[in-house]
Amino acid sequence: MKEIIPYIFAILIGLFTTAESYMSSELGEMTSPSISTFYNLFIGAIVFAVPLVLSNNINKSVEILKARPLLLTGGIFGAFIIYFIAKSVPILGLTVTLTLSIASQTLSSFYLDTFIYKHASLGIYEIIGVLFTLVGVWFMVK
């Protein structure tokens, strides 16, 4: 049963990304993309702060000070993702925005897994997968 949980989480990532993209773009049009981004991150921080405080793991938070500073910049990427979604969805729509986003995630992670981390090989099936990804993007954007 444990093996299915990561698959469920991966599916939820896709569903949540779509929902978050819609909400960010709507809120961004009502206010501004910057305000939308701020409140998305603020509410998200509260959502994760409450169980952190209630579980007494707040003491473990000091371990973050031992992390390489570069590892702490992930939040910057998260902020830009929300901001870029709020700016792109009203112009491109959810489907095109997320198709481009998913394709760029797929291709960049494939690059990292294959050439940097060496977790994947570069064979004919992988090349076909990359080509199908690019063709799929072309059809969705067209």
Side-chain angles (χ1 to χ4, degrees):
M1 184 64 175
K2 279 187 179 178
E3 293 95 29
I4 198 167
I5 299 297
Y7 291 96
I8 292 170
F9 285 170
I11 291 167
L12 288 174
I13 290 168
L15 296 173
F16 289 1
T17 299
T18 301
E20 190 276 331
S21 298
Y22 169 75
M23 292 177 214
S24 290
S25 67
E26 290 289 312
L27 187 59
E29 290 210 320
M30 285 176 54
T31 57
S32 76
S34 296
I35 293 170
S36 171
T37 301
F38 173 78
Y39 280 99
N40 274 312
L41 293 171
F42 181 70
I43 298 300
I46 291 171
V47 166
F48 278 89
V50 169
L52 180 69
V53 170
L54 294 177
S55 69
N56 259 350
N57 278 337
I58 197 123
N59 295 334
K60 191 169 177 132
S61 293
V62 296
E63 296 295 317
I64 202 82
L65 299 173
K66 297 176 185 174
R68 292 186 326 227
L70 179 66
L71 298 178
L72 300 175
T73 63
I76 296 169
F77 291 118
F80 277 114
I81 289 166
I82 295 169
Y83 179 79
F84 293 155
I85 285 171
K87 293 288 279 183
S88 300
V89 169
I91 297 164
L92 301 176
L94 276 169
T95 303
V96 171
T97 300
L98 293 181
T99 297
L100 291 169
S101 171
I102 291 165
S104 67
Q105 289 175 43
T106 301
L107 296 173
S108 61
S109 62
F110 175 73
Y111 174 81
L112 287 173
D113 273 349
T114 303
F115 300 108
I116 305 300
Y117 296 119
K118 311 275 193 233
H119 290 219
S121 61
L122 181 60
I124 188 68
Y125 293 116
E126 290 78 14
I127 292 170
I128 291 170
V130 167
L131 291 175
F132 277 160
T133 299
L134 294 172
V135 169
V137 168
W138 183 80
F139 277 115
M140 292 301 289
V141 173
K142 206 65 176 141

